[in-house]
Amino acid sequence: FRQRKKTLRSWKKRAKLARKLHGRRAKLFTQKRYKQKIELKKKIRMHNEKTDEHKNNKATPKGAIPAYLMDREGVSRSKILSNTIKQKRKEKAGKWDVPINKMRAVPEAEIFKVLRSGKSKKKAWKRMVTKVCFVPPHFTRKPPKFERFIRPAALRFKKAHVTHPELKTTFHLQILAVKKNPHSPLYSSLGVITKGTILEVNVSELGLVTPGGKIVWGKYAQVTNNPELDGCINAVLLV
């Protein structure tokens, strides 16, 4: 409740600060606010596009129609940009309208366990990943002498339970890649999967088609559970 009040009153602080600042700091502040306003307007426009409906006379059938169809006039959604272009834009910006946008920070000590090596176990440069991870199908481990990060075979997952938010159905889909782990770029490169991670999943069996008529191969999904505790990966498809 307090947090909501603080958010609602934040504009007063901003306005006060804008009146105070002058010179170079004022210029920088104005630039920052200008960028924020552009982002906000873009988001509003995208939401309007999604929900905007208008009558389409072409879709209305000619001649006599049954009574139950009288109220249903042809309606088409005015989507200016195709879904493909929108997806590409989101990828470029590195931003998604995700179901979980706030999550607990995971410390490095929780993800990596220090492994001591060498004859007298004095060397401590090796790390073992203690969370669920994903490795590509043709992945080969490095020789033990050069392997810094060890990903145990028991914690490697290949599939995830992905729920389609519109269809309200869950599918067992193959993971193609770990796109982004919000905690660290290192976790993304290692394929560590924690709550809030963005995965790329194979949706070819769902039969999704692009506006051009091509079958959609991969789509993004966000992990909604703690896989290391549940023993499986649950995710929501980002549509």
Side-chain angles (χ1 to χ4, degrees), residues 60-78:
T60 312
K62 286 182 181 178
I65 53 167
Y68 63 88
L69 285 177
M70 291 289 279
D71 298 329
R72 298 188 202 174
E73 286 177 300
V75 175
S76 70
R77 294 190 180 279
S78 60

Side-chain angles (χ1 to χ4, degrees), residues 3 11 15 47 61 64 77 87-88 90 98 111 114 117 132 141 152 160 168 208 210 217 232:
Q3 189 66 35
W11 68 271
H47 280 292
R77 294 190 180 279
Q87 189 74 12
K88 280 181 182 175
K90 283 178 185 177
V98 290
I111 288 184
V114 178
S117 58
V132 166
R141 283 178 67 174
K168 299 283 188 291
L208 300 173
T210 62
W217 176 259
C232 65

Side-chain angles (χ1 to χ4, degrees), residues 104-116:
R104 181 182 69 88
V106 182
E108 204 168 290
E110 197 180 310
I111 288 184
F112 299 125
K113 180 189 171 186
V114 178
L115 277 186
R116 296 202 166 267

Side-chain angles (χ1 to χ4, degrees), residues 46-64:
M46 277 176 79
H47 280 292
N48 288 346
E49 267 177 37
K50 201 173 182 181
T51 54
D52 184 27
E53 291 183 354
H54 64 277
K55 286 177 187 177
N56 185 5
N57 296 325
K58 288 178 184 176
T60 312
K62 286 182 181 178

